[in-house]
Amino acid sequence: MRVDQLVPAFHQGDAIGDTAFHIKQFLRCRGFQSEIYCLDRDEGLEKHSTLFSEFFPPASTDITILHFALPSPLTAKFITFSSKKILIYHNITPAHFFLPYSQEMAHIAQVGREEVKLMAPHVDVALADSEFNRLELEEIGYRRTEVFPLFIDFAKYQRPADPFFQRLFRDQRVNILFVGRIVPNKGIDDLIRTTFYYKKYISPLVRLIIVGKTTSLPAYYQSLIKLVDDFYLRPEEVVFTGHITDEQMYALYQTADVFLSMSEHEGFGLPLVESMIFDLPVIAYEATAVPYTLGGAGILLRTKRVDYVAELVHLVATQENLRQKIINHQRQRLKDLRAEGLEEKLLRVIKDLT
């Protein structure tokens, strides 16, 4: 029996790509025929995937899995297959976040939402990588939904961190870290306002480090640069790293004092988990999937008041007893995540469909 996966874009080091690759390897070990089909892929992934143009229509006894995070031509093809169909839903950011900055991205997000609704009557099982996403699918009308978190390759975080980045950011400043796309739903403007308050009223020795591609939405990135200038924050106080290597990112997790997220929309929030892996205390705004991913760990914010947030960041960065208490809770959450048993859950779903 074939159990194939469809991934619109197959990227190296991408959470969705890593999950698809892990599923493929696991299924093959269990005796299934399994391949990843994609419309586009990174150079070097040719031996791990096949272009969708070579996809042969499945039989009714086969299973086809679609990873969905963006609209693509795969959606229309997927619903026509005679095979049993599994959707793995990674969430679509609502269009209203993009409207002030890009009509094109807002349109893409809206089309994505429409495609999710279109698939509902055709999908046998819908898996979501957080309870927040599962509830969204249930509300849309999917018949059977289950939580199926992202695969996390814990072993890769054991690789050595970049020593230059460790030295570069290890000084007297309090390092506030955020990792994620530079897009409006991430609330990066709130991070900048918090940093301004911290500098003016708590200590000038502070640094906000933002890790993520600055080219995702140029208009939004330019608005952030203007905000930094309006607050007279210097380049050494707000650092946009752009795209960096995994080893450089590990160094930043190790040298940061606090991971701060003011994001208003997350489908899962992998950097929250990565912070816990590196024993970095997490403070995050309580929105969408964030409380489900943290699972009682970290500190959840119900306000974005900059004075409250900045003072809390200072406490966590400087009070060792508080830091250790947070870290202990985060370590327990990691144990729970390691014990999710994703492979067995997928096998059960496949068995139910055959």
Side-chain angles (χ1 to χ4, degrees):
M1 182 177 70
R2 286 170 52 190
V3 183
D4 293 319
Q5 298 178 83
L6 308 182
V7 182
F10 188 36
H11 296 304
Q12 184 78 42
D14 171 73
I16 297 173
D18 287 351
T19 297
F21 181 73
H22 179 73
I23 289 173
K24 172 189 164 182
Q25 297 298 96
F26 170 71
L27 291 174
R28 286 188 170 185
C29 287
R30 289 303 182 101
F32 294 98
Q33 297 179 48
S34 186
E35 185 55 88
I36 295 171
Y37 291 91
C38 56
L39 298 174
D40 187 30
R41 61 191 172 193
D42 289 345
E43 185 177 348
L45 293 179
E46 293 84 1
K47 65 180 180 180
H48 299 304
S49 61
T50 303
L51 292 177
F52 184 71
S53 57
E54 300 178 39
F55 183 78
F56 188 78
S60 59
T61 54
D62 294 329
I63 292 175
T64 308
I65 301 170
L66 173 65
H67 291 264
F68 192 88
L70 283 173
S72 80
L74 294 181
T75 303
K77 297 287 187 181
F78 177 65
I79 62 177
T80 66
F81 296 151
S82 61
S83 55
K84 298 293 184 182
K85 289 177 277 294
I86 298 174
L87 174 72
I88 300 184
Y89 179 55
H90 303 284
N91 200 269
I92 295 283
T93 303
H96 68 83
F97 285 107
F98 301 112
L99 273 174
Y101 305 98
S102 171
Q103 291 289 328
E104 180 184 3
M105 286 194 70
H107 176 70
I108 290 171
Q110 186 59 43
V111 171
R113 292 266 164 178
E114 291 168 0
E115 288 191 2
V116 175
K117 294 176 183 177
L118 176 69
M119 288 186 286
H122 305 278
V123 168
D124 297 285
V125 181
L127 303 178
D129 50 24
S130 68
E131 175 64 9
F132 170 75
N133 289 349
R134 190 198 69 79
L135 291 171
E136 189 174 282
L137 292 175
E138 189 175 75
E139 184 177 347
I140 289 171
Y142 282 80
R143 297 185 299 272
R144 178 180 171 185
T145 60
E146 294 191 30
V147 175
F148 187 78
L150 288 171
F151 167 71
I152 299 169
D153 182 5
F154 288 96
K156 79 175 187 179
Y157 298 104
Q158 301 303 314
R159 298 204 302 262
D162 184 287
F164 173 73
F165 262 54
Q166 286 180 319
R167 292 192 301 271
L168 185 63
F169 292 101
R170 189 166 280 160
D171 52 21
Q172 300 302 310
R173 293 182 185 273
V174 168
N175 285 321
I176 303 170
L177 178 66
F178 177 77
V179 178
R181 293 192 304 150
I182 313 300
V183 288
N185 56 292
K186 301 294 185 179
I188 296 168
D189 49 328
D190 294 308
L191 299 177
I192 294 169
R193 292 185 183 95
T194 300
T195 303
F196 169 73
Y197 182 95
Y198 193 108
K199 176 188 175 182
K200 185 172 182 179
Y201 296 105
I202 301 175
S203 170
L205 297 177
V206 63
R207 178 190 292 118
L208 172 63
I209 306 170
I210 302 161
V211 179
K213 293 181 180 179
T214 58
T215 55
S216 298
L217 190 54
Y220 179 62
Y221 173 61
Q222 290 304 318
S223 75
L224 297 176
I225 295 299
K226 183 179 184 304
L227 186 61
V228 170
D229 290 341
D230 289 346
F231 282 141
Y232 297 101
L233 291 166
R234 299 193 296 270
E236 64 269 25
E237 293 167 338
V238 178
V239 179
F240 288 92
T241 69
H243 178 69
I244 59 176
T245 67
D246 285 349
E247 289 74 17
Q248 290 169 336
M249 185 172 67
Y250 301 161
L252 293 178
Y253 277 122
Q254 291 175 359
T255 56
D257 296 285
V258 173
F259 184 90
L260 179 61
S261 171
M262 303 290 269
S263 177
E264 295 183 4
H265 190 90
E266 294 288 339
F268 181 77
L270 182 60
L272 301 172
V273 179
E274 292 178 332
S275 297
M276 293 191 284
I277 290 171
F278 286 97
D279 279 342
L280 177 61
V282 174
I283 302 173
Y285 185 62
E286 186 178 11
T288 57
V290 170
Y292 298 109
T293 299
L294 287 176
I299 296 178
L300 289 174
L301 298 168
R302 293 192 174 98
T303 178
K304 288 195 172 188
R305 273 182 45 189
V306 291
D307 55 343
Y308 179 88
V309 177
E311 295 288 353
L312 181 59
V313 167
H314 182 64
L315 283 175
V316 173
T318 59
Q319 300 295 317
E320 188 55 39
N321 288 343
L322 176 59
R323 287 181 64 83
Q324 196 56 53
K325 185 176 180 181
I326 295 169
I327 289 169
N328 289 342
H329 282 290
Q330 292 181 175
R331 287 174 177 172
Q332 183 55 53
R333 174 57 177 153
L334 282 178
K335 289 181 181 179
D336 296 340
L337 288 170
R338 288 176 185 269
E340 288 281 2
L342 301 185
E343 295 88 351
E344 295 308 314
K345 177 176 284 190
L346 182 60
L347 274 183
R348 175 175 53 78
V349 170
I350 290 173
K351 183 179 178 181
D352 289 347
L353 292 178
T354 56

